[in-house]
Amino acid sequence: MQTQQSEQTTIRILGIDPGSRVTGFGVIDVIGRQHIYVASGCIKTTVGATLAERIRVIVHNLREVIATYQPTQTAIEQVFVNVNPAATLVLGQARGAAIAALTLDELPVFEYTALQVKQAVVGKGKAAKEQVQHMVVQMLSLSGTPQADAADALAVALTHALRNYSLASRIQQGLTIKSGRFR
Amino acid sequence: MQTQQSEQTTIRILGIDPGSRVTGFGVIDVIGRQHIYVASGCIKTTVGATLAERIRVIVHNLREVIATYQPTQTAIEQVFVNVNPAATLVLGQARGAAIAALTLDELPVFEYTALQVKQAVVGKGKAAKEQVQHMVVQMLSLSGTPQADAADALAVALTHALRNYSLASRIQQGLTIKSGRFR
């Protein structure tokens, strides 16, 4: 008989919810089957500032978050193509800048769609935004609800954890996997 | 009578033509009224690579260009909103990453539309792409035509020079300015 989880490695995940005005971030630790809240917050850019200035703020602050919390993996929400092409361009630029900040420290970057986040956190793809935030509070045993963008970032981090580590930890404990979703 | 151009400061401009597959760059020196070619080239990303990997390549290589040529100012072409929203998103992300690389070294970033580039380099906003490239070759006394994206990047750098420094140098030499375009 093998010792169950004799060595519990900690995986620290930085989740990002990109936006041109507000970029949410959330940091969690995965230890065995547990998800532990570490930090979360928002990076806000000045309305009316130039694009370069807003990108400077996003990159500078994300680098500070990375330096402070030292994540080992990152997960970022995929943005959808907006009906407004100009808004899509602005959002794309903010997201590109956020990913640039993540790649600077050679951190692996994983991408998840809003559908994947809802499926992983709530269990169904058609869940409302409030349900996702409710589950984030439950799963991380938070005493209050974080700001919406920070909660979304924590949800992306949880999605990465649930899809990659929680299942693996269950396999280690001898549970049967029915479908071949684990990779 | 004042001494004409007794102190000629060199301004080194890095021009960028952003793209998801190819990012062009061009470096020029502005010394008095002269524009001198320094370097140009293309950063190509692998087809089929993830977005994060492509952004990593753009940022890493742009930082190398900056470290090598030490520009004091940067100019980047504004991208237009494409009819294809998905393409707009991809291009926006690549452009955001390029601007992120420029802001890391606290370089000032100036943005110019394709119209402004054509007006500055060719003298008319409806100029064909080939005319812009032809003028780049003429103005920088190049022995051959650079690759299209590199030529476009040089054109953006020239636009920044022409709009901000060449006119100023002409004013110093006592030429009359008819319209109030100089700022």
Side-chain angles (χ1 to χ4, degrees):
Chain A
M1 194 186 123
Q2 290 189 332
T3 312
Q4 279 188 7
Q5 308 223 337
S6 56
E7 283 180 33
Q8 290 199 325
T9 50
T10 301
I11 293 145
R12 180 160 286 190
I13 304 168
L14 167 62
I16 305 283
D17 179 38
S20 58
R21 273 178 294 183
V22 182
T23 295
F25 67 90
V27 184
I28 64 167
D29 277 346
V30 183
I31 307 171
R33 289 181 68 178
Q34 278 194 295
H35 303 129
I36 295 148
Y37 174 87
V38 177
S40 67
C42 295
I43 298 164
K44 288 179 187 168
T45 59
T46 315
V47 177
T50 64
L51 174 69
E53 183 49 38
R54 280 182 286 144
I55 284 178
R56 196 189 303 269
V57 168
I58 292 170
V59 172
H60 180 79
N61 284 280
L62 272 185
R63 295 202 81 191
E64 267 201 9
V65 168
I66 292 166
T68 306
Y69 299 105
Q70 304 274 333
T72 50
Q73 308 206 356
T74 70
I76 187 163
E77 190 159 331
Q78 273 184 13
V79 295
F80 57 93
V81 171
N82 201 291
V83 281
N84 178 344
T88 301
L89 184 62
V90 171
L91 180 54
Q93 289 173 150
R95 186 170 192 267
I99 295 176
L102 302 179
T103 63
L104 283 170
D105 296 279
E106 302 295 333
L107 289 169
V109 180
F110 298 88
E111 301 184 65
Y112 297 102
T113 63
L115 183 75
Q116 288 173 320
V117 171
K118 287 173 180 179
Q119 276 171 341
V121 176
V122 184
K124 53 181 182 177
K126 290 211 168 180
K129 223 169 163 55
E130 292 71 29
Q131 278 179 281
V132 174
Q133 288 165 11
H134 175 76
M135 285 308 294
V136 166
V137 171
Q138 297 302 311
M139 291 169 86
L140 296 172
S141 309
L142 302 180
S143 54
T145 308
Q147 192 272 354
D149 299 281
D152 288 346
L154 287 167
V156 183
L158 278 168
T159 301
H160 183 62
L162 290 162
R163 287 173 63 107
N164 294 280
Y165 300 106
S166 302
L167 199 53
S169 98
R170 276 181 241 162
I171 291 169
Q172 283 169 7
Q173 285 166 62
L175 295 185
T176 309
I177 304 303
K178 279 184 183 165
S179 65
R181 303 275 311 268
F182 174 62
R183 58 185 169 95
Chain B
M1 195 185 125
Q2 290 190 331
T3 314
Q4 280 186 10
Q5 308 221 337
S6 55
E7 284 180 33
Q8 289 200 325
T9 50
T10 301
I11 293 145
R12 181 161 286 189
I13 305 167
L14 167 62
I16 304 284
D17 179 37
S20 58
R21 274 178 294 183
V22 181
T23 295
F25 69 89
V27 185
I28 63 167
D29 277 347
V30 183
I31 307 171
R33 291 181 67 178
Q34 277 193 298
H35 304 129
I36 296 148
Y37 175 87
V38 177
S40 68
C42 295
I43 298 164
K44 287 179 187 169
T45 59
T46 316
V47 178
T50 65
L51 175 68
E53 183 49 38
R54 278 182 287 144
I55 284 178
R56 195 189 303 270
V57 168
I58 292 170
V59 172
H60 179 80
N61 284 281
L62 272 185
R63 295 201 82 191
E64 268 202 8
V65 168
I66 292 167
T68 306
Y69 298 106
Q70 305 274 331
T72 51
Q73 308 205 357
T74 68
I76 187 163
E77 190 159 332
Q78 273 184 12
V79 295
F80 58 92
V81 171
N82 202 291
V83 282
N84 178 345
T88 301
L89 184 62
V90 170
L91 181 53
Q93 290 174 149
R95 186 170 191 266
I99 294 176
L102 302 180
T103 64
L104 282 169
D105 296 279
E106 302 295 333
L107 290 169
V109 181
F110 298 87
E111 300 185 65
Y112 297 102
T113 63
L115 184 74
Q116 288 173 320
V117 171
K118 286 174 180 178
Q119 275 172 339
V121 175
V122 184
K124 54 181 182 179
K126 292 212 167 180
K129 223 168 162 56
E130 292 71 30
Q131 277 179 283
V132 174
Q133 288 165 10
H134 174 76
M135 284 308 294
V136 166
V137 171
Q138 296 303 311
M139 291 169 88
L140 296 172
S141 309
L142 302 180
S143 55
T145 307
Q147 191 272 354
D149 299 280
D152 288 346
L154 287 167
V156 183
L158 278 168
T159 300
H160 183 62
L162 290 162
R163 286 174 64 106
N164 294 280
Y165 300 106
S166 302
L167 199 53
S169 98
R170 276 181 240 161
I171 290 169
Q172 283 168 7
Q173 288 166 63
L175 294 185
T176 309
I177 304 302
K178 279 183 185 167
S179 65
R181 303 273 312 267
F182 174 63
R183 56 185 171 96

